[in-house]
Amino acid sequence: MSADDKIFIANDVVIHPDDLEENFIRSSGPGGQNVNKVATAVQLRFDAANAPGLPERVRERTIKLAGQRATKDGVIVIEAGRYRTQEQNRADARARLTALVAKAAEPPPPPRKKTRPTKGSVERRLKTKSGRSTVKKLRGRVDGD
């Protein structure tokens, strides 16, 4: 990835390559004996709290959606070690970060319209309640007059 390869999420949401930091670590995934020698897993760090390409609303939602992957300072840490090569793990980590930021950039859902139950449904509910009440009253002890 060159220095001018920005990741465009939406029209006003951009991840700059300067905001990303990659460290390669040893993977616990597939690879046989090679896994003990070569650092193929990637640890991608994205400073979401100070990213200039994120609007304030998207920044807050990204950190909230990241959950435990976000540090107290607002840095999101994504570890990818599914694959055997650094390139595949790097692409996987960036794809997961892009999906997270894209989900945060979605517009909020429209507010819920309050609805009331229909008059008929209220009457039916009350009728069944009174019917159950009479059934339960009839279950009491029978007096032997």
Side-chain angles (χ1 to χ4, degrees), residues 9 65 94-104:
I9 310 291
L65 286 174
R94 288 179 186 233
R96 284 163 47 191
L97 176 67
T98 304
L100 177 71
V101 176
K103 184 160 178 62

Side-chain angles (χ1 to χ4, degrees), residues 74-96:
V75 177
I76 298 173
V77 180
I78 295 178
E79 290 189 13
R82 275 189 237 177
Y83 302 103
R84 293 176 67 143
T85 63
Q86 283 185 350
E87 293 79 24
Q88 285 178 311
N89 286 328
R90 174 187 282 155
D92 181 37
R94 288 179 186 233
R96 284 163 47 191

Side-chain angles (χ1 to χ4, degrees), residues 13-34:
V13 181
V14 179
I15 298 175
H16 297 281
D18 304 336
D19 299 334
L20 301 177
E21 179 187 330
E22 293 175 339
N23 296 324
F24 291 97
I25 54 177
R26 287 194 180 151
S27 176
S28 62
Q33 292 179 352
N34 192 45

Side-chain angles (χ1 to χ4, degrees), residues 23-45:
N23 296 324
F24 291 97
I25 54 177
R26 287 194 180 151
S27 176
S28 62
Q33 292 179 352
N34 192 45
V35 87
N36 299 326
K37 298 184 282 183
V38 182
T40 55
V42 66
Q43 188 179 54
L44 181 71
R45 297 170 91 61

Side-chain angles (χ1 to χ4, degrees), residues 89-136:
N89 286 328
R90 174 187 282 155
D92 181 37
R94 288 179 186 233
R96 284 163 47 191
L97 176 67
T98 304
L100 177 71
V101 176
K103 184 160 178 62
E106 291 175 354
R112 187 181 86 80
K113 291 182 180 176
K114 293 181 180 176
T115 58
R116 299 179 71 181
T118 62
K119 189 175 180 183
S121 67
V122 171
E123 288 174 359
R124 284 191 301 274
R125 183 178 61 86
L126 293 176
K127 186 177 177 184
T128 56
K129 280 180 67 137
S130 63
R132 294 296 303 160
S133 173
T134 54
V135 166
K136 290 185 177 187

